[in-house]
Amino acid sequence: MSKAGALDLASGLGGKIDKSDVLSSVEKYEKYHVYYGGAEEDRKANYSDMVNKYYDLVTSFYEFGWGESFHFAPRFKGESLRESIKRHEHFLALQLGLKPGQKVLDVGCGIGGPLREIARFSSTSVTGLNNNEYQISRGKELNRIAGVDRTCDFVKADFMKMPFPDNSFDAVYAIEATCHAPDAYGCYSEIYRVLKPGQCFAAYEWCMTDAFNPHNQEHQKIKSEIEIGDGLPDIRSTGQCIDALKKAGFEVIWSKDLAMGSPMPWYLPLDTTHFSLNSFRLTAVGRFFTRNMVKALEYLGVAPKGSQRVQDFLEKAAQGLVEGGRKEIFTPLFFFLARKPHSDSQ
């Protein structure tokens, strides 16, 4: 790992949080979650604060280990993680039938990795909606570097209360983002409102599968590890997502858990028994180096106090994700394509 890479990670830790407040922010974030005695009702009531703190704390870790696109993907044998992520984004664009010049909304866009890839792939103008100031500032810088800053932009807003007129967009998509919403119906209803009639919304959702047993303590432990490590108020089932779409007014064209039948497990990059030079920073060895580097940087005062605690709950999330994937009780790859009817009567 280069010295520049280590300093880049250290400089971004904590996002827009004052460096002296990182530790207290970590402590407040942890208290929202079941793992530390927190209640689901508190997470839902304070989801905006919780999710903002989460992404201020983890964005630099994500970009350092994962790149600009913070999501999983089905993967073919011989395909690198980066290649699978790009293909996953192209698949979404193709399912939406995007055409050059269309106006597209990315709900919960992160630092804009998928936004830039889809805009270049489809020659569309993509607006990224995000409620985290640090991610938006980072995304704007990356847009400028990529040369898409004239056709793509960011809007800072809550996706439960979007600042757009009705029928504004030709297509809407969300990649592992609306799982942060405290209420799926409320979020999907806002997407329905800003989407033009006859046009489509596609998403990849994080969900508990039908194999999840809420009365199984091990299953509940895995679920709570994923929730604290990934800033989630509650993980919905696939059926709850479909019901919420229909209640919001959408016609569901098709849906499928794309983890089923994937030649390689989606959680492979996080599996400590797997080693890959292409995604070295995500392997057990790479994570060991990162953990000790963060510990050293925090000790030296280069990284803010609390940085190691962030690394710890991300490790906990990785463990939960791998176990959830192995037991097939959790998927980050539940895909659906839904259409807004031409009129309410339809």
Side-chain angles (χ1 to χ4, degrees):
M1 184 181 301
S2 69
K3 181 180 178 182
L7 292 175
D8 282 346
L9 173 62
S11 66
L13 291 174
K16 289 290 184 180
I17 298 172
D18 188 282
K19 301 306 179 189
S20 62
D21 295 332
V22 169
L23 181 58
S24 62
S25 294
V26 173
E27 290 170 345
K28 184 175 181 182
Y29 170 75
E30 288 176 339
K31 287 176 183 176
Y32 277 125
H33 288 275
V34 171
Y35 210 88
Y36 292 89
E40 180 185 324
E41 291 76 17
D42 289 338
R43 294 196 300 278
K44 288 184 174 180
N46 299 286
Y47 76 95
S48 183
D49 178 63
M50 182 188 74
V51 174
N52 252 307
K53 278 188 171 52
Y54 174 77
Y55 279 113
D56 270 332
L57 293 168
V58 307
T59 294
S60 291
F61 281 103
Y62 272 21
E63 188 175 355
F64 182 74
W66 214 259
E68 294 177 21
S69 294
F70 305 160
H71 63 81
F72 294 98
R75 197 164 159 192
F76 292 103
K77 290 180 180 178
E79 187 178 42
S80 71
L81 175 63
R82 186 178 182 84
E83 288 168 342
S84 69
I85 284 174
K86 282 192 171 188
R87 179 177 50 76
H88 200 48
E89 293 164 358
H90 295 174
F91 175 82
L92 196 70
L94 291 168
Q95 286 297 311
L96 285 168
L98 298 183
K99 298 177 178 61
Q102 284 188 323
K103 190 178 175 184
V104 182
L105 178 65
D106 180 335
V107 177
C109 62
I111 60 172
L115 176 156
R116 287 181 288 278
E117 186 63 35
I118 287 173
R120 288 180 296 214
F121 178 73
S122 61
S123 298
T124 52
S125 296
V126 186
T127 298
L129 184 72
N130 193 327
N131 208 22
N132 183 267
E133 188 178 342
Y134 173 66
Q135 288 198 334
I136 288 178
S137 64
R138 180 66 180 142
K140 286 181 176 179
E141 180 185 358
L142 293 170
N143 275 9
R144 181 184 55 76
I145 293 169
V148 298
D149 49 320
R150 291 188 177 182
T151 56
C152 298
D153 62 355
F154 294 89
V155 172
K156 185 182 184 304
D158 183 345
F159 52 36
M160 301 297 289
K161 296 171 283 192
M162 297 187 196
F164 306 117
D166 295 357
N167 310 323
S168 294
F169 295 95
D170 298 300
V172 180
Y173 68 84
I175 301 179
E176 301 180 22
T178 47
C179 51
H180 291 292
D183 168 34
Y185 165 68
C187 181
Y188 295 161
S189 294
E190 270 295 271
I191 291 169
Y192 184 93
R193 181 183 66 79
V194 302
L195 182 63
K196 292 179 181 178
Q199 302 304 307
C200 291
F201 164 45
Y204 297 122
E205 281 281 13
W206 281 34
C207 293
M208 305 311 294
T209 69
D210 292 341
F212 172 72
N213 180 358
H215 305 294
N216 183 308
Q217 286 190 341
E218 185 183 10
H219 287 194
Q220 285 288 6
K221 179 176 178 289
I222 290 168
K223 180 174 180 281
S224 67
E225 284 178 343
I226 296 171
E227 286 168 350
I228 185 174
D230 295 283
L232 306 177
D234 183 40
I235 307 175
R236 291 176 279 273
S237 69
T238 56
Q240 286 174 318
C241 287
I242 295 300
D243 289 345
L245 281 169
K246 291 177 179 177
K247 185 179 176 183
F250 283 105
E251 169 200 354
V252 179
I253 298 171
W254 75 283
S255 64
K256 182 183 178 181
D257 178 5
L258 300 183
M260 305 303 293
S262 175
M264 297 177 73
W266 59 265
Y267 54 82
L268 194 65
L270 299 177
D271 190 343
T272 55
T273 63
H274 173 71
F275 183 84
S276 169
L277 287 174
N278 287 329
S279 50
F280 174 75
R281 289 175 178 175
L282 296 172
T283 64
V285 178
R287 279 149 61 180
F288 173 80
F289 278 117
T290 301
R291 184 164 55 250
N292 283 281
M293 178 193 69
V294 171
K295 185 177 181 180
L297 291 171
E298 187 173 331
Y299 177 77
L300 293 169
V302 178
K305 288 189 179 299
S307 298
Q308 194 178 348
R309 289 268 286 273
V310 178
Q311 173 78 3
D312 289 344
F313 70 65
L314 287 175
E315 288 285 340
K316 197 181 301 293
Q319 294 167 12
L321 288 165
V322 171
E323 285 305 304
R326 282 180 177 155
K327 294 182 182 299
E328 298 183 349
I329 63 171
F330 168 80
T331 178
L333 302 177
F334 182 60
F335 172 81
F336 59 73
L337 179 66
R339 181 188 293 119
K340 178 178 179 177
H342 283 282
S343 67
D344 289 338
S345 63
Q346 285 183 288

